[in-house]
Amino acid sequence: MNFDELIDRRNTHSSKWDSMEKIYGVSPDSGLAMWVADMDFRPPSVVQDALQNMLDHGVYGYYGEDQSYREAICWWMQTRHGWTVDPKAILTTHGLVNGVAFCLDALTEPGDGVVLMTPVYHAFARVIRAGGREVVECELARRDGRYEMDFDAWDAQMTGREKMLILCSPHNPGGRVWTRDELRGVAEFARRHDLLLISDEIHHDLVMPGHSHIPMPLADETILDRLIMMTATTKTFNIAGSHTGNVIVPDETLRARLTAHLAAMGKSPNSFGLVMAEAAYSPEGAEWVDALVPYLDGNRRIFEEGLAQIPGVKPMSLEATYLTWIDFADTGMAPAEVIRRVQQDAQIAPNHGATFGKGGESFLRFNIATPRVRVETAVRRMQAAFGDLQ
């Protein structure tokens, strides 16, 4: 669990490091990759050992008999989140972006509206539009430096064409851990407008000390007939390349529709991903996460406090995830000038806020799941890049 180890990810087909010069003009030799949401840490040794066992066996056939894989998911959700999952309710997709696209294809029609609470994870809008559906942006309210839900305003936006709502819980990029009352409000909103509800909870294990995540089924049991839960090992354990996501559907009728669609598409999971997921959802994996979260919290404190010293720069307090959301509006600079300073002067590649939808235009998102020395370097570079602000 040496999170301080500097691992050179260049020239390893890393999207985060090997693509940033082409996209952001930041060289991986001199720059810092703080965009793609994966970590610069090795996963727990229990995952590495499971893969080594596969290599030692040396035969890579079709995966079968997945009972232990399902039991591992159920064990994790029960012990870590107090949520009892029926193993029969678990469907496996090629990651959760694929899971969202799969649900859109199976449960909505071209032209249907899909509600997003923006700014929010950019891949949602991408797959909605690619599937010929309409993105309906319900902008989150900002009060006292944090996001809150504005159901009265959103009610007024609904036209009846909307068929699905996608919730990001905990929220990416704002880092909010939604309260029980807020989650109940989401459930009521979905029922009021007859919306299917996807609750993407991929960051639910990465919650900062002092905050507690509540799975949607525990917040409001009356939503189960229209709820699709999405979880994964991929963010928690830094195994995103395994592309394995859990689509958990409590309602049998809704699950039957999705199961039939999976069969029609000829989909089956990757054996490496299932082996990694089962190994991760274990006591050894839990011990690793329990060491990771305080380390991320330390990085959060250093980054937030360091950037808050820059006049006009306002970090949104991070309650969960390892993705910090920084507002540059009060610097008085146009977003293009902020981006120029961050990418050219500081040599840092962040995500641009506008890609997250309405409300994100003045923000940048920074990934702090990297050895602390890089976070400290990023703070120094940012302070220098904006050193003329008084």
Side-chain angles (χ1 to χ4, degrees), residues 342-356:
V342 174
Q343 293 175 193
Q344 295 183 23
D345 297 347
Q347 285 289 289
I348 297 172
N351 288 102
H352 298 177
T355 64
F356 295 84

Side-chain angles (χ1 to χ4, degrees), residues 16 23-24 33-38 121-122 172-173 323-326 328 339 342-343 348-356 360-367:
K16 182 178 178 182
I23 296 173
Y24 294 102
M34 301 185 79
W35 60 301
V36 172
D38 66 24
Y121 179 44
H122 45 75
N172 167 17
L323 305 164
T324 62
W325 191 230
I326 311 295
F328 292 83
I339 289 169
V342 174
Q343 293 175 193
I348 297 172
N351 288 102
H352 298 177
T355 64
F356 295 84
E361 295 83 359
S362 63
F363 286 81
L364 295 176
R365 191 189 77 172
F366 296 82
N367 179 345

Side-chain angles (χ1 to χ4, degrees), residues 48-60 272:
Q48 306 284 51
D49 292 345
L51 286 174
Q52 188 61 54
N53 287 338
M54 291 184 74
L55 294 175
D56 291 343
H57 184 259
V59 178
Y60 311 111
F272 288 88

